[in-house]
Amino acid sequence: MTDPTPSPLPDLMPVLLRIAAALERAAPPPRPAPDFAAADAFVWQPEGRLQPVPRVNRVEMGLLRGIDRMRDILFDNTERFARGLPANNALLWGARGMGKSSLVKAVHAEITARAIERPLKLVEIHREDIEGLPALMGLLRPDPHRFVVFCDDLSFDAEDTSYKSLKAALDGGIEGRPDNVIFYATSNRRHLLPRDMMENERSTAINPGEAVEEKVSLSDRFGLWLGFHKCSQDEYLAMIDAYASRYGLDVEPNRLRAEALEWSTTRGARSGRTAFQYIQDLAGRLGQRLD
């Protein structure tokens, strides 16, 4: 004889269906693949997507003065990479305002303009998002394009462990750095760490040499170390002349020289950034735009 007691399953089905629908709505939809044809440059967003940059803020490579050797080395390294040949990660370190980040963007623009067979894309990742670098590398790995991943003003402070993500992404881990990705960074510090932090590690450690080895070894992941130093007065004035000529600023040479030197003296610095700031001020006083 059959059991007359009805099964509870039909009564539960509507509830289960509602739960399943709610879970489906709560789950994020699959992230669409990036459209790398949308732009030549992108910015990595912390939520894990790439934002196209329609117009990159950059300086023409011909206007970057006083850094000829670093310019040639970085250009050759990047061009080899764009052609599918072996190339190194690069750390551009040294004096502020001497064109480190401007050089990275200018080299990318120059190589893109030469229409190398494999389009080269520039992807910027902000310092505070560096822990997302492994995820970014995973996103770029299967794409046929080649990528320069760029981090400006990279450095690490005490108690900051995000440098481990950078080390793993550059050439650690099982997969290693993707063949179609190269990493460029700029920093005011050669070893990416403040000197007092390194000295403190040494003084308090049982084995001072090993205490900082892991952190200092981060710089070893960069095959190229390009040092940028403060420019001379002649180099500074050459930058001023190049900018004034490029933007058609009609100023008597002696006045241009005197004003430019006074500008650098009042700021206590001579650099490409200082030179361009003076040119902006001069153009404003002359009522001219810097197109």
Side-chain angles (χ1 to χ4, degrees):
M1 185 175 64
T2 61
D3 186 356
T5 304
S7 171
L9 187 57
D11 295 335
L12 291 177
M13 283 303 296
V15 177
L16 295 175
L17 289 174
R18 288 197 298 272
I19 293 173
L23 291 174
E24 187 172 339
R25 289 193 301 271
R31 193 177 299 279
D35 180 13
F36 290 114
D40 290 326
F42 299 81
V43 175
W44 175 252
Q45 301 295 328
E47 64 269 20
R49 65 183 181 88
L50 287 167
Q51 177 68 40
V53 180
R55 183 176 181 275
V56 178
N57 178 30
R58 47 179 147 220
V59 177
E60 297 171 16
M61 194 154 64
L63 294 175
L64 298 175
R65 303 299 178 92
I67 55 172
D68 296 9
R69 180 174 176 274
M70 286 73 76
R71 177 199 63 204
D72 294 343
I73 293 174
L74 189 68
F75 181 86
D76 290 345
N77 188 71
T78 311
E79 186 180 38
R80 288 195 296 270
F81 171 72
R83 295 188 182 280
L85 297 172
N88 278 305
N89 301 315
L91 174 63
L92 290 70
W93 67 275
R96 294 180 177 87
M98 280 304 297
K100 298 185 294 294
S101 60
S102 294
L103 180 58
V104 173
K105 292 181 284 187
V107 164
H108 170 256
E110 184 71 17
I111 290 178
T112 300
R114 297 191 181 194
I116 291 177
E117 58 270 17
R118 296 186 179 185
L120 182 65
K121 304 295 181 178
L122 181 66
V123 178
E124 182 176 18
I125 181 169
H126 296 143
R127 159 65 188 88
E128 57 270 21
D129 302 325
I130 205 69
E131 288 185 340
L133 187 58
L136 173 59
M137 295 289 197
L139 183 65
L140 302 180
R141 185 184 297 272
D143 195 89
H145 294 91
R146 303 187 75 76
F147 300 92
V148 174
V149 176
F150 168 53
C151 184
D152 192 21
D153 198 19
L154 179 63
S155 62
F156 299 94
D157 297 319
E159 309 303 327
D160 189 346
T161 60
S162 60
Y163 69 90
K164 295 181 180 179
S165 298
L166 177 57
K167 288 178 64 174
L170 290 182
D171 64 357
I174 296 176
E175 292 183 303
R177 173 169 60 88
D179 292 337
N180 64 332
V181 176
I182 201 167
F183 188 81
Y184 288 174
T186 70
S187 178
N188 297 324
R189 304 167 181 165
R190 183 174 182 178
H191 288 294
L192 305 177
L193 300 169
R195 182 176 299 275
D196 58 346
M197 175 182 170
M198 295 170 62
E199 293 300 330
N200 182 63
E201 292 264 359
R202 287 192 177 97
S203 65
T204 58
I206 297 176
N207 188 330
E210 292 181 359
V212 294
E213 182 177 352
E214 181 184 11
K215 294 177 180 177
V216 173
S217 69
L218 174 59
S219 299
D220 295 339
R221 264 63 177 182
F222 296 91
L224 287 182
W225 288 7
L226 302 179
F228 290 67
H229 307 286
K230 294 180 180 179
C231 63
S232 67
Q233 179 173 294
D234 289 342
E235 289 171 333
Y236 171 73
L237 291 173
M239 296 173 189
I240 295 292
D241 289 338
Y243 280 129
S245 175
R246 167 64 179 81
Y247 295 114
L249 303 180
D250 187 13
V251 182
E252 195 273 324
N254 288 336
R255 174 193 165 191
L256 183 68
R257 174 188 174 92
E259 286 190 0
L261 291 176
E262 181 183 4
W263 183 273
S264 68
T265 300
T266 59
R267 280 149 187 79
R270 287 194 301 260
S271 68
R273 180 179 298 151
T274 305
F276 189 69
Q277 289 169 344
Y278 165 70
I279 290 295
Q280 286 181 305
D281 180 79
L282 176 62
R285 288 187 280 116
L286 293 176
Q288 294 184 225
R289 296 183 179 275
L290 299 180
D291 295 327

